[in-house]
Coordinates of all heavy atoms in Angstrom, one line a residue:
M1156 N -0.4 80.1 -53.0 CA 0.6 79.0 -53.0 C 1.9 79.4 -53.7 O 1.8 80.1 -54.7 CB 0.0 77.7 -53.6 CG -1.2 77.1 -52.8 SD -0.7 76.6 -51.2 CE 0.1 75.1 -51.5
Y1157 N 3.0 78.8 -53.3 CA 4.3 79.1 -53.9 C 4.9 77.8 -54.4 O 4.6 76.7 -53.8 CB 5.2 79.7 -52.9 CG 4.7 81.0 -52.3 CD1 4.0 81.0 -51.1 CD2 5.0 82.2 -52.9 CE1 3.5 82.2 -50.6 CE2 4.5 83.4 -52.4 CZ 3.8 83.4 -51.3 OH 3.3 84.6 -50.8
T1158 N 5.7 77.8 -55.4 CA 6.4 76.6 -55.9 C 7.8 76.7 -55.5 O 8.5 77.7 -55.9 CB 6.3 76.5 -57.4 OG1 4.9 76.4 -57.7 CG2 7.0 75.2 -57.9
L1159 N 8.3 75.8 -54.7 CA 9.7 75.7 -54.2 C 10.3 74.5 -54.7 O 9.6 73.5 -55.1 CB 9.7 75.8 -52.7 CG 9.0 76.9 -51.9 CD1 9.1 76.7 -50.4 CD2 9.4 78.2 -52.4
L1160 N 11.6 74.4 -54.6 CA 12.3 73.1 -54.9 C 12.8 72.5 -53.6 O 13.2 73.1 -52.7 CB 13.6 73.4 -55.7 CG 13.4 74.0 -57.2 CD1 14.7 74.0 -57.9 CD2 12.4 73.1 -57.9
D1161 N 12.7 71.1 -53.6 CA 13.2 70.4 -52.4 C 14.6 70.1 -52.6 O 15.3 70.5 -53.6 CB 12.3 69.1 -52.2 CG 12.5 68.1 -53.3 OD1 13.4 68.2 -54.1 OD2 11.6 67.2 -53.3
G1162 N 15.2 69.3 -51.6 CA 16.6 69.0 -51.7 C 17.1 68.2 -52.8 O 18.3 68.1 -53.2
A1163 N 16.1 67.5 -53.5 CA 16.5 66.7 -54.7 C 16.2 67.5 -56.0 O 16.4 67.0 -57.1 CB 15.6 65.5 -54.8
G1164 N 15.8 68.8 -55.8 CA 15.6 69.7 -57.0 C 14.2 69.5 -57.6 O 13.9 70.0 -58.7
R1165 N 13.3 68.8 -56.9 CA 11.9 68.6 -57.4 C 11.0 69.7 -56.9 O 11.1 70.1 -55.7 CB 11.4 67.3 -56.9 CG 12.1 66.1 -57.5 CD 11.5 64.8 -56.9 NE 11.6 64.8 -55.5 CZ 12.3 64.0 -54.7 NH1 12.9 63.0 -55.2 NH2 12.2 64.1 -53.4
P1166 N 10.1 70.2 -57.7 CA 9.2 71.3 -57.3 C 8.1 70.7 -56.4 O 7.7 69.6 -56.5 CB 8.6 71.8 -58.6 CG 8.8 70.7 -59.6 CD 10.0 69.9 -59.1
Y1167 N 7.7 71.6 -55.4 CA 6.5 71.3 -54.6 C 5.8 72.5 -54.2 O 6.4 73.6 -54.3 CB 7.0 70.5 -53.3 CG 7.7 71.3 -52.3 CD1 7.1 71.9 -51.2 CD2 9.1 71.5 -52.4 CE1 7.8 72.6 -50.3 CE2 9.8 72.2 -51.5 CZ 9.1 72.8 -50.4 OH 9.9 73.5 -49.5
R1168 N 4.6 72.4 -53.9 CA 3.7 73.6 -53.5 C 3.9 73.9 -52.0 O 3.9 72.9 -51.2 CB 2.3 73.3 -53.9 CG 2.0 73.0 -55.3 CD 2.2 74.2 -56.2 NE 1.0 75.0 -56.1 CZ 1.0 76.2 -56.6 NH1 2.0 76.7 -57.3 NH2 -0.1 76.9 -56.5
S1169 N 3.9 75.1 -51.6 CA 4.1 75.5 -50.2 C 3.2 76.8 -50.0 O 3.1 77.7 -50.8 CB 5.5 75.9 -50.0 OG 5.7 76.5 -48.7
A1170 N 2.6 76.8 -48.8 CA 1.9 78.0 -48.4 C 2.8 79.1 -47.9 O 2.4 80.3 -47.8 CB 0.9 77.6 -47.3
T1171 N 4.1 78.8 -47.7 CA 5.0 79.8 -47.2 C 6.0 80.1 -48.3 O 6.5 79.2 -49.0 CB 5.8 79.2 -46.0 OG1 4.9 78.7 -45.1 CG2 6.8 80.2 -45.4
P1172 N 6.3 81.3 -48.6 CA 7.3 81.7 -49.7 C 8.7 81.2 -49.3 O 9.0 81.1 -48.1 CB 7.2 83.2 -49.8 CG 6.7 83.6 -48.4 CD 5.8 82.5 -47.9
G1173 N 9.5 81.0 -50.3 CA 10.9 80.6 -50.0 C 11.7 81.8 -49.5 O 11.4 83.0 -49.7
L1174 N 12.8 81.5 -48.8 CA 13.7 82.5 -48.2 C 14.9 82.8 -49.1 O 15.6 83.8 -49.0 CB 14.2 82.0 -46.9 CG 13.1 81.8 -45.8 CD1 13.8 81.3 -44.5 CD2 12.4 83.1 -45.5
F1175 N 15.1 81.9 -50.1 CA 16.2 82.0 -51.0 C 15.7 81.8 -52.5 O 14.8 81.0 -52.7 CB 17.4 81.0 -50.7 CG 18.1 81.4 -49.5 CD1 17.7 80.9 -48.3 CD2 19.2 82.2 -49.5 CE1 18.3 81.3 -47.1 CE2 19.9 82.5 -48.4 CZ 19.5 82.0 -47.1
G1176 N 16.3 82.5 -53.4 CA 16.0 82.4 -54.8 C 17.2 81.8 -55.5 O 18.3 81.8 -55.0
G1177 N 17.0 81.4 -56.7 CA 18.1 80.8 -57.5 C 17.9 80.9 -59.0 O 16.8 81.2 -59.4
H1178 N 18.9 80.4 -59.7 CA 18.9 80.4 -61.2 C 19.1 78.9 -61.5 O 20.2 78.4 -61.3 CB 20.0 81.3 -61.7 CG 19.9 81.3 -63.2 ND1 20.7 80.6 -64.0 CD2 19.1 82.0 -64.1 CE1 20.5 80.8 -65.3 NE2 19.5 81.7 -65.4
R1179 N 18.1 78.3 -62.1 CA 18.2 76.9 -62.5 C 19.3 76.5 -63.4 O 20.1 75.6 -63.1 CB 16.9 76.5 -63.2 CG 16.7 75.0 -63.4 CD 15.5 74.6 -64.2 NE 14.3 75.4 -63.8 CZ 13.4 75.0 -62.9 NH1 13.6 73.9 -62.2 NH2 12.4 75.8 -62.6
R1180 N 19.5 77.2 -64.4 CA 20.6 76.9 -65.4 C 22.0 77.1 -64.8 O 22.9 76.3 -65.0 CB 20.5 77.7 -66.7 CG 21.4 77.2 -67.8 CD 21.2 78.0 -69.0 NE 19.8 77.8 -69.5 CZ 19.1 78.7 -70.2 NH1 19.7 79.8 -70.6 NH2 17.9 78.4 -70.6
G1181 N 22.2 78.2 -64.0 CA 23.5 78.5 -63.4 C 23.7 77.7 -62.1 O 24.8 77.7 -61.6
R1182 N 22.7 77.1 -61.6 CA 22.8 76.4 -60.3 C 23.3 77.3 -59.2 O 24.2 76.9 -58.4 CB 23.6 75.1 -60.4 CG 23.2 74.2 -61.6 CD 22.1 73.3 -61.5 NE 22.2 72.3 -60.4 CZ 21.2 71.6 -60.0 NH1 20.0 71.7 -60.7 NH2 21.3 70.7 -59.1
I1183 N 22.8 78.5 -59.1 CA 23.3 79.5 -58.1 C 22.1 79.9 -57.3 O 20.9 80.0 -57.8 CB 23.8 80.8 -58.8 CG1 24.9 80.5 -59.7 CG2 24.1 81.9 -57.8 CD1 25.3 81.6 -60.7
Y1184 N 22.3 80.0 -55.9 CA 21.2 80.5 -55.1 C 21.7 81.7 -54.3 O 22.9 81.9 -54.1 CB 20.8 79.4 -54.1 CG 21.7 79.2 -52.9 CD1 21.6 79.9 -51.8 CD2 22.8 78.3 -53.1 CE1 22.5 79.7 -50.7 CE2 23.7 78.1 -52.0 CZ 23.5 78.8 -50.9 OH 24.4 78.6 -49.8
G1185 N 20.8 82.6 -53.9 CA 21.2 83.7 -53.1 C 20.0 84.3 -52.3 O 18.8 83.8 -52.4
R1186 N 20.2 85.4 -51.6 CA 19.2 86.0 -50.9 C 18.1 86.7 -51.8 O 18.5 87.1 -53.0 CB 19.7 87.1 -50.0 CG 20.7 86.6 -48.9 CD 21.1 87.7 -47.9 NE 21.1 89.0 -48.5 CZ 22.1 89.8 -48.6 NH1 23.3 89.4 -48.3 NH2 22.0 91.0 -49.2
L1187 N 16.9 86.8 -51.4 CA 15.9 87.4 -52.2 C 16.2 88.9 -52.5 O 15.7 89.5 -53.4 CB 14.5 87.2 -51.6 CG 14.1 85.8 -51.6 CD1 12.7 85.7 -50.9 CD2 14.0 85.2 -52.9
D1188 N 16.9 89.5 -51.6 CA 17.3 91.0 -51.8 C 18.6 91.2 -52.4 O 19.2 92.3 -52.4 CB 17.2 91.7 -50.4 CG 18.3 91.2 -49.4 OD1 18.9 90.2 -49.7 OD2 18.5 91.9 -48.4
C1189 N 19.1 90.2 -53.1 CA 20.4 90.3 -53.8 C 20.4 91.4 -54.8 O 19.5 91.4 -55.7 CB 20.8 89.0 -54.4 SG 22.4 89.0 -55.3
P1190 N 21.4 92.3 -54.8 CA 21.4 93.4 -55.8 C 21.6 92.9 -57.3 O 21.2 93.6 -58.2 CB 22.5 94.3 -55.4 CG 23.3 93.5 -54.5 CD 22.5 92.4 -53.9
S1191 N 22.1 91.7 -57.4 CA 22.4 91.1 -58.7 C 21.1 90.7 -59.4 O 20.9 90.8 -60.6 CB 23.4 90.0 -58.6 OG 23.7 89.5 -59.9
A1192 N 20.2 90.1 -58.7 CA 18.9 89.5 -59.2 C 18.1 90.5 -60.1 O 17.7 90.2 -61.2 CB 18.1 88.9 -58.2
P1193 N 17.8 91.7 -59.5 CA 17.0 92.7 -60.4 C 17.7 93.0 -61.7 O 17.0 93.2 -62.7 CB 16.9 93.9 -59.5 CG 17.1 93.4 -58.1 CD 18.1 92.3 -58.2
R1194 N 19.0 93.1 -61.7 CA 19.7 93.4 -63.0 C 19.5 92.3 -64.0 O 19.2 92.6 -65.2 CB 21.2 93.6 -62.7 CG 21.6 94.8 -62.0 CD 23.0 95.1 -62.0 NE 23.8 94.1 -61.3 CZ 24.3 94.2 -60.1 NH1 24.1 95.3 -59.3 NH2 25.0 93.3 -59.5
W1195 N 19.6 91.0 -63.5 CA 19.3 89.9 -64.4 C 17.9 89.8 -64.9 O 17.6 89.6 -66.0 CB 19.8 88.6 -63.8 CG 21.3 88.4 -63.8 CD1 22.1 88.6 -62.8 CD2 22.1 88.1 -64.9 NE1 23.4 88.4 -63.2 CE2 23.4 88.1 -64.5 CE3 21.8 87.9 -66.3 CZ2 24.5 87.8 -65.4 CZ3 22.9 87.6 -67.1 CH2 24.2 87.6 -66.7
L1196 N 17.0 90.1 -63.9 CA 15.5 90.1 -64.3 C 15.2 91.1 -65.3 O 14.4 90.9 -66.2 CB 14.7 90.2 -63.0 CG 14.7 89.0 -62.1 CD1 14.1 89.4 -60.7 CD2 13.9 87.9 -62.7
A1197 N 15.9 92.3 -65.2 CA 15.6 93.4 -66.1 C 16.0 93.0 -67.6 O 15.5 93.5 -68.5 CB 16.4 94.7 -65.7
R1198 N 17.0 92.1 -67.7 CA 17.4 91.7 -69.0 C 16.4 90.7 -69.7 O 16.5 90.4 -70.8 CB 18.8 91.0 -68.9 CG 19.9 92.0 -68.5 CD 21.2 91.3 -68.4 NE 22.2 92.2 -67.9 CZ 23.4 91.9 -67.5 NH1 23.8 90.6 -67.5 NH2 24.2 92.8 -67.0
G1199 N 15.5 90.2 -68.9 CA 14.4 89.4 -69.4 C 14.6 87.9 -69.5 O 13.7 87.1 -69.3
A1200 N 15.8 87.4 -69.7 CA 16.0 85.9 -69.9 C 16.0 85.2 -68.6 O 15.8 84.0 -68.6 CB 17.2 85.7 -70.7
Y1201 N 16.2 85.8 -67.5 CA 16.4 85.2 -66.2 C 15.1 84.6 -65.6 O 15.1 83.6 -64.9 CB 17.0 86.3 -65.3 CG 17.4 85.8 -63.9 CD1 18.6 85.1 -63.7 CD2 16.7 86.1 -62.8 CE1 19.0 84.7 -62.5 CE2 17.0 85.7 -61.6 CZ 18.2 85.0 -61.4 OH 18.6 84.6 -60.1
R1202 N 14.0 85.3 -65.8 CA 12.7 85.0 -65.2 C 12.3 83.5 -65.4 O 11.9 82.8 -64.4 CB 11.6 85.9 -65.6 CG 10.4 85.8 -64.8 CD 9.4 86.9 -65.2 NE 9.9 88.2 -65.3 CZ 10.1 89.0 -64.2 NH1 9.8 88.6 -63.0 NH2 10.5 90.2 -64.4
S1203 N 12.5 83.0 -66.5 CA 12.1 81.6 -66.8 C 12.9 80.6 -66.1 O 12.5 79.4 -65.9 CB 12.1 81.3 -68.3 OG 13.4 81.3 -68.8
Q1204 N 14.1 81.0 -65.6 CA 15.0 80.1 -64.9 C 15.0 80.2 -63.4 O 15.8 79.6 -62.7 CB 16.4 80.3 -65.5 CG 16.6 79.9 -66.9 CD 16.4 78.4 -67.2 OE1 16.8 77.6 -66.4 NE2 15.6 78.1 -68.2
R1205 N 14.2 81.1 -62.9 CA 14.1 81.5 -61.5 C 13.5 80.3 -60.7 O 12.5 79.8 -61.1 CB 13.3 82.7 -61.3 CG 13.4 83.4 -60.0 CD 14.5 84.3 -59.9 NE 14.4 85.2 -58.7 CZ 15.3 85.3 -57.8 NH1 16.4 84.6 -57.8 NH2 15.1 86.1 -56.8
V1206 N 14.1 80.0 -59.6 CA 13.6 78.9 -58.7 C 13.7 79.5 -57.2 O 14.4 80.5 -57.0 CB 14.4 77.6 -58.8 CG1 14.2 77.0 -60.1 CG2 15.9 77.8 -58.5
F1207 N 13.0 78.8 -56.3 CA 13.0 79.3 -54.9 C 13.1 78.1 -54.0 O 12.7 77.0 -54.3 CB 11.7 80.0 -54.6 CG 11.5 81.3 -55.4 CD1 10.8 81.2 -56.6 CD2 12.1 82.5 -55.1 CE1 10.7 82.4 -57.4 CE2 12.0 83.6 -55.8 CZ 11.3 83.5 -57.0
F1208 N 13.8 78.4 -52.8 CA 14.0 77.4 -51.8 C 13.5 77.8 -50.5 O 13.6 79.0 -50.1 CB 15.5 77.1 -51.7 CG 16.2 76.7 -53.0 CD1 16.8 77.5 -53.8 CD2 16.1 75.3 -53.3 CE1 17.4 77.1 -55.0 CE2 16.7 74.9 -54.5 CZ 17.3 75.8 -55.3
A1209 N 13.1 76.9 -49.7 CA 12.6 77.2 -48.3 C 13.7 77.7 -47.4 O 13.5 78.6 -46.6 CB 12.0 76.0 -47.7
D1210 N 14.9 77.2 -47.6 CA 16.1 77.6 -46.8 C 17.4 77.3 -47.6 O 17.4 76.7 -48.6 CB 16.1 76.9 -45.5 CG 15.9 75.4 -45.6 OD1 16.7 74.8 -46.4 OD2 15.1 74.8 -44.8
E1211 N 18.5 77.8 -47.0 CA 19.8 77.6 -47.6 C 20.2 76.1 -47.7 O 20.8 75.7 -48.7 CB 20.8 78.4 -46.8 CG 22.1 78.5 -47.5 CD 23.0 79.5 -46.9 OE1 22.7 80.0 -45.8 OE2 24.0 79.9 -47.5
T1212 N 19.9 75.4 -46.6 CA 20.3 74.0 -46.6 C 19.7 73.2 -47.8 O 20.3 72.4 -48.4 CB 19.9 73.3 -45.3 OG1 20.5 74.0 -44.2 CG2 20.2 71.9 -45.2
T1213 N 18.4 73.5 -48.1 CA 17.7 72.8 -49.2 C 18.4 73.2 -50.5 O 18.5 72.4 -51.4 CB 16.2 73.2 -49.2 OG1 15.7 72.9 -47.9 CG2 15.5 72.5 -50.3
A1214 N 18.8 74.5 -50.7 CA 19.4 74.9 -51.9 C 20.7 74.1 -52.1 O 21.0 73.7 -53.2 CB 19.7 76.4 -51.9
V1215 N 21.5 74.0 -51.1 CA 22.8 73.3 -51.2 C 22.5 71.8 -51.5 O 23.2 71.2 -52.3 CB 23.6 73.4 -49.9 CG1 24.8 72.5 -49.8 CG2 24.0 74.9 -49.7
Q1216 N 21.6 71.2 -50.8 CA 21.2 69.8 -51.1 C 20.8 69.6 -52.5 O 21.1 68.5 -53.1 CB 20.1 69.3 -50.1 CG 20.5 69.2 -48.7 CD 19.3 68.9 -47.8 OE1 18.1 69.0 -48.2 NE2 19.6 68.4 -46.6
A1217 N 20.1 70.6 -53.1 CA 19.7 70.5 -54.5 C 20.8 70.7 -55.5 O 20.6 70.6 -56.7 CB 18.6 71.5 -54.8
G1218 N 22.0 71.0 -55.0 CA 23.2 71.1 -55.8 C 23.5 72.5 -56.3 O 24.2 72.7 -57.3
Y1219 N 22.9 73.5 -55.6 CA 23.2 74.9 -56.0 C 24.3 75.5 -55.2 O 24.5 75.1 -54.1 CB 21.9 75.7 -55.8 CG 20.8 75.5 -56.8 CD1 20.2 74.2 -56.9 CD2 20.5 76.4 -57.7 CE1 19.2 74.0 -57.9 CE2 19.5 76.2 -58.7 CZ 18.9 75.0 -58.8 OH 18.0 74.7 -59.7
R1220 N 25.0 76.4 -55.8 CA 26.1 77.1 -55.1 C 25.7 78.5 -54.7 O 24.8 79.1 -55.3 CB 27.4 77.2 -56.0 CG 27.2 78.1 -57.2 CD 28.6 78.6 -57.6 NE 28.5 79.5 -58.8 CZ 28.4 80.8 -58.7 NH1 28.3 81.4 -57.6 NH2 28.4 81.5 -59.8
P1221 N 26.4 79.0 -53.7 CA 26.1 80.4 -53.2 C 26.5 81.5 -54.2 O 27.4 81.3 -55.0 CB 26.9 80.6 -51.9 CG 27.6 79.3 -51.7 CD 27.5 78.4 -52.9
C1222 N 25.7 82.6 -54.2 CA 26.0 83.7 -55.0 C 27.2 84.5 -54.5 O 27.3 84.7 -53.3 CB 24.7 84.6 -55.0 SG 24.9 86.2 -55.8
A1223 N 28.1 84.9 -55.4 CA 29.3 85.6 -55.0 C 28.9 87.0 -54.6 O 29.7 87.7 -53.8 CB 30.3 85.6 -56.1
V1224 N 27.8 87.6 -55.0 CA 27.4 89.0 -54.7 C 26.8 89.1 -53.4 O 27.3 89.9 -52.6 CB 26.5 89.5 -55.8 CG1 26.0 90.9 -55.5 CG2 27.1 89.5 -57.2
C1225 N 25.8 88.3 -53.0 CA 25.1 88.5 -51.8 C 25.5 87.6 -50.7 O 25.2 87.8 -49.5 CB 23.6 88.4 -52.0 SG 23.0 86.8 -52.5
L1226 N 26.3 86.5 -51.0 CA 26.8 85.6 -50.0 C 28.3 85.4 -50.2 O 28.7 84.2 -50.4 CB 26.0 84.2 -50.2 CG 24.5 84.3 -50.0 CD1 23.9 83.0 -50.4 CD2 24.2 84.6 -48.5
P1227 N 29.1 86.4 -50.2 CA 30.5 86.3 -50.5 C 31.3 85.4 -49.6 O 32.2 84.7 -50.1 CB 31.0 87.7 -50.4 CG 30.1 88.5 -49.6 CD 28.7 87.8 -49.8
Q1228 N 31.0 85.3 -48.3 CA 31.8 84.4 -47.5 C 31.4 83.0 -47.8 O 32.3 82.1 -47.8 CB 31.5 84.7 -46.0 CG 32.2 86.0 -45.6 CD 31.2 87.0 -45.0 OE1 30.0 86.8 -45.2 NE2 31.7 88.1 -44.5
R1229 N 30.1 82.7 -48.0 CA 29.7 81.3 -48.3 C 30.3 80.9 -49.7 O 30.7 79.8 -49.9 CB 28.2 81.2 -48.2 CG 27.7 81.3 -46.8 CD 26.2 81.1 -46.8 NE 25.6 81.3 -45.5 CZ 25.0 82.4 -45.1 NH1 24.9 83.4 -46.0 NH2 24.5 82.5 -43.9
F1230 N 30.3 81.9 -50.6 CA 30.9 81.6 -51.9 C 32.3 81.3 -51.8 O 32.8 80.3 -52.5 CB 30.7 82.8 -52.9 CG 31.3 82.6 -54.2 CD1 30.8 81.8 -55.2 CD2 32.5 83.3 -54.5 CE1 31.4 81.6 -56.4 CE2 33.2 83.1 -55.7 CZ 32.6 82.3 -56.7
A1231 N 33.1 82.0 -51.0 CA 34.5 81.8 -50.8 C 34.8 80.4 -50.3 O 35.7 79.7 -50.7 CB 35.2 82.8 -49.9
V1232 N 34.0 79.9 -49.3 CA 34.1 78.6 -48.7 C 33.8 77.5 -49.8 O 34.5 76.6 -49.9 CB 33.2 78.4 -47.5 CG1 33.1 77.0 -47.1 CG2 33.6 79.3 -46.4
W1233 N 32.7 77.8 -50.6 CA 32.4 76.8 -51.6 C 33.5 76.7 -52.7 O 33.9 75.7 -53.1 CB 31.1 77.3 -52.3 CG 30.7 76.5 -53.6 CD1 30.1 75.3 -53.6 CD2 31.1 76.9 -54.9 NE1 30.0 74.9 -54.9 CE2 30.6 75.9 -55.8 CE3 31.7 78.0 -55.5 CZ2 30.8 75.9 -57.1 CZ3 31.9 78.0 -56.8 CH2 31.4 77.0 -57.7
K1234 N 34.0 77.9 -53.1 CA 35.1 77.9 -54.1 C 36.3 77.2 -53.6 O 37.0 76.5 -54.3 CB 35.4 79.4 -54.5 CG 36.3 79.5 -55.7 CD 36.4 80.9 -56.1 CE 37.3 81.0 -57.3 NZ 37.5 82.3 -57.8
A1235 N 36.7 77.4 -52.3 CA 37.9 76.8 -51.8 C 37.7 75.3 -51.7 O 38.7 74.6 -51.8 CB 38.2 77.4 -50.4
G1236 N 36.5 74.8 -51.6 CA 36.3 73.4 -51.5 C 36.1 72.7 -52.8 O 35.9 71.4 -52.8
R1237 N 36.2 73.4 -53.9 CA 36.0 72.7 -55.2 C 37.2 71.9 -55.6 O 38.3 72.0 -55.4 CB 35.8 73.8 -56.3 CG 34.5 74.4 -56.2 CD 34.3 75.4 -57.3 NE 34.1 74.6 -58.5 CZ 34.2 75.2 -59.7 NH1 34.4 76.4 -59.8 NH2 34.0 74.4 -60.8

């Protein structure tokens, strides 16, 4: 079982892993293969703040913004709309 966040940011159990990961404190989401995530995980402090989402829509509904590294076009749209 996997623990994912729903659109309200509440955790729930799922038999299917999430497609996107995020950082709870920074309210950032990105692809699971993002090159930035392993660097942060290697520093140690990131792991306790890691969250997962079933899809991108759910991450946005939960109030997370796109990662500038792995989702640069979506980040640019988000930044322009601020």
